[in-house]
Amino acid sequence: MSIKKLSVTAKRLDTFFRILQKFLIVCLIAVPSALLVLTIATVIRPGITIGTNLNVIDFGNISITLAEAYTPENNKILFYSWIISVLAACGSLIVYLGLRCIRRILAPMIEGKPFHQDISRELRKLSFLSLALGILQNITSAAATFTGLYAFNLHRLLESGVIQSVNTNLQIDLTFLIAFFLLLLMSYIFSYGAELQKLSDETL
């Protein structure tokens, strides 16, 4: 790929990631705002119902099929939603920081400098962000399961005998470790490339 094509491609990618960053900011504002409105509404009008009748309840790694429709209590739904939203917001923030690293990697490429010394540093940051995101995803999955057990009153459902079946999919995703080591390796490769580029420039 020529330097010109690299620059054009990097510029297009930078535009895409800039739009994605703005979308994440909108989500980070919109979701908590919607939950806040629902929370205030239930305080002002305790009689309203914010949930729907459920025959299948999915949360985290557990799926429960019920014999009859069930409507969770408002405060339990809000508790579950706030926990998941906070964890999702933390994940979105990590993704936002990761996108910022990617844009900083693309910045010298737009200028036709594929082996700029800043690229190695940003790749290293990106590797640790991917590690943090992977750990948070596993925590979120576990939190969704345990808070869901509370939010949907599993003990009461068991006592009522309306549960027909329970499916579990307990697993830990470790693919983020591969991304971490690959990005870390790439940071060393680009660091070496930057040193070679520096030596070449000094020779010329």
Side-chain angles (χ1 to χ4, degrees):
M1 181 183 289
S2 66
I3 294 297
K4 185 177 180 180
K5 287 184 178 179
L6 174 65
S7 178
V8 171
T9 302
K11 193 171 183 179
R12 289 174 179 172
L13 287 172
D14 182 68
T15 301
F16 170 75
F17 290 128
R18 185 175 67 252
I19 294 171
L20 195 55
Q21 277 184 308
K22 292 180 179 179
F23 174 75
L24 281 174
I25 292 174
V26 171
C27 290
L28 282 169
I29 296 172
V31 174
S33 297
L35 273 177
L36 184 60
V37 170
L38 282 175
T39 303
I40 294 173
T42 55
V43 171
I44 296 174
R45 297 182 60 189
I48 65 172
T49 302
I50 62 175
T52 58
N53 292 331
L54 301 173
N55 289 103
V56 178
I57 301 175
D58 291 308
F59 52 88
N61 298 309
I62 296 178
S63 178
I64 300 175
T65 302
L66 305 176
E68 57 187 58
Y70 167 71
T71 303
E73 299 172 13
N74 288 346
N75 61 330
K76 301 294 181 67
I77 294 176
L78 289 171
F79 173 78
Y80 179 78
S81 299
W82 273 112
I83 293 294
I84 300 304
S85 295
V86 169
L87 291 170
C90 292
S92 297
L93 180 60
I94 294 174
V95 173
Y96 179 87
L97 295 174
L99 291 173
R100 187 170 68 175
C101 285
I102 293 174
R103 292 189 65 200
R104 287 177 176 175
I105 290 170
L106 293 171
M109 293 185 180
I110 292 173
E111 298 176 359
K113 302 175 182 178
F115 288 104
H116 194 275
Q117 58 184 2
D118 290 345
I119 294 178
S120 175
R121 182 172 62 251
E122 295 302 325
L123 278 170
R124 196 173 295 112
K125 289 180 184 177
L126 191 61
S127 69
F128 284 101
L129 286 172
S130 70
L131 181 64
L133 183 62
I135 293 172
L136 182 63
Q137 285 176 334
N138 284 289
I139 291 174
T140 301
S141 179
T145 300
F146 289 109
T147 56
L149 294 177
Y150 165 78
F152 295 104
N153 289 322
L154 181 62
H155 65 284
R156 184 186 299 176
L157 293 177
L158 287 171
E159 292 172 357
S160 65
V162 299
I163 295 180
Q164 284 188 331
S165 64
V166 178
N167 296 316
T168 60
N169 184 28
L170 299 176
Q171 59 182 3
I172 299 176
D173 185 8
L174 298 178
T175 54
F176 66 94
L177 290 175
I178 298 174
F180 167 70
F181 287 116
L182 282 177
L183 288 168
L184 200 59
L185 178 62
M186 287 177 62
S187 72
Y188 293 130
I189 293 173
F190 273 87
S191 178
Y192 181 67
E195 288 295 326
L196 291 180
Q197 185 65 56
K198 183 179 178 182
L199 290 173
S200 177
D201 294 340
E202 290 175 352
T203 302
L204 294 175

